[in-house]
Amino acid sequence: MRYIVILLAVIAGVLAIARRRLVIVQVTGPSMLPVYRSGDRVLIRRVAGSKLRRGQVVVFQPALGGRWRTGPLSAPEDSKWLIKRVAALPGDPVPPAVTHAVNAPEGALVPQGRLVVIGDGPMSADSRNWGYLPADRVLGVVVRRLSPAQPSGGAAEGSGVSS
């Protein structure tokens, strides 16, 4: 009996930690095609913007009215999120397709605390349009797709992520 209580306490602790570190969201929109489709459910691991790597797919809080928010991120279920791929990190050269959006000369470097993110699909609003993403707006990185989009367009649980 004592071992069962200990085992249940350990399981409860692991679940509490996982719940704080992991989030499930649903993708909406075409900007990450063909990798992620509208309706896909993805597992996100919360991570600080300073721990990101080039090529990772991130979920982040969008700008509101053309201005990036400051302060703590919203709760995952209380906000719409965007999903894009990290194209450049602080200290990397600004990609040529982004220089006009950030008003940077050729050969400029991405500033500290900023990221360049780009959608995989041809129809993507991303750093090519609105410039740098503040690294502190990143909720986390996509760990894996949990379920593909349903052909019927059925809704899945979790917060929505626009691509």
Side-chain angles (χ1 to χ4, degrees), residues 12-137:
V14 167
L15 289 175
I17 291 170
R19 188 165 170 86
R20 277 189 240 139
R21 299 267 310 154
L22 302 172
V23 179
I24 297 173
V25 294
Q26 182 176 353
V27 174
T28 59
S31 80
M32 290 300 290
L33 284 171
V35 179
Y36 299 103
R37 305 167 84 74
S38 194
D40 284 351
R41 291 179 52 207
V42 294
L43 180 64
I44 307 302
R45 179 177 42 90
R46 292 180 190 241
V47 65
S50 61
K51 305 262 187 215
L52 297 173
R53 294 188 316 264
R54 207 173 305 98
Q56 288 181 312
V57 176
V58 295
V59 170
F60 58 95
Q61 195 170 38
L64 183 61
R67 297 186 140 262
W68 293 105
R69 299 175 185 140
T70 59
L73 292 172
S74 301
E77 62 276 1
D78 293 342
S79 184
K80 278 288 198 185
W81 300 89
L82 297 178
I83 182 171
K84 306 288 181 207
R85 189 172 305 276
V86 176
L89 299 165
D92 288 347
V94 176
V98 178
T99 56
H100 71 281
V102 297
N103 199 22
E106 189 175 322
L109 302 180
V110 176
Q112 287 299 319
R114 301 286 187 247
L115 305 167
V116 173
V117 293
I118 296 179
D120 289 352
M123 306 256 317
S124 177
D126 50 38
S127 288
R128 294 172 288 196
N129 308 101
W130 35 259
Y132 298 121
L133 165 67
D136 66 353
R137 297 295 89 200

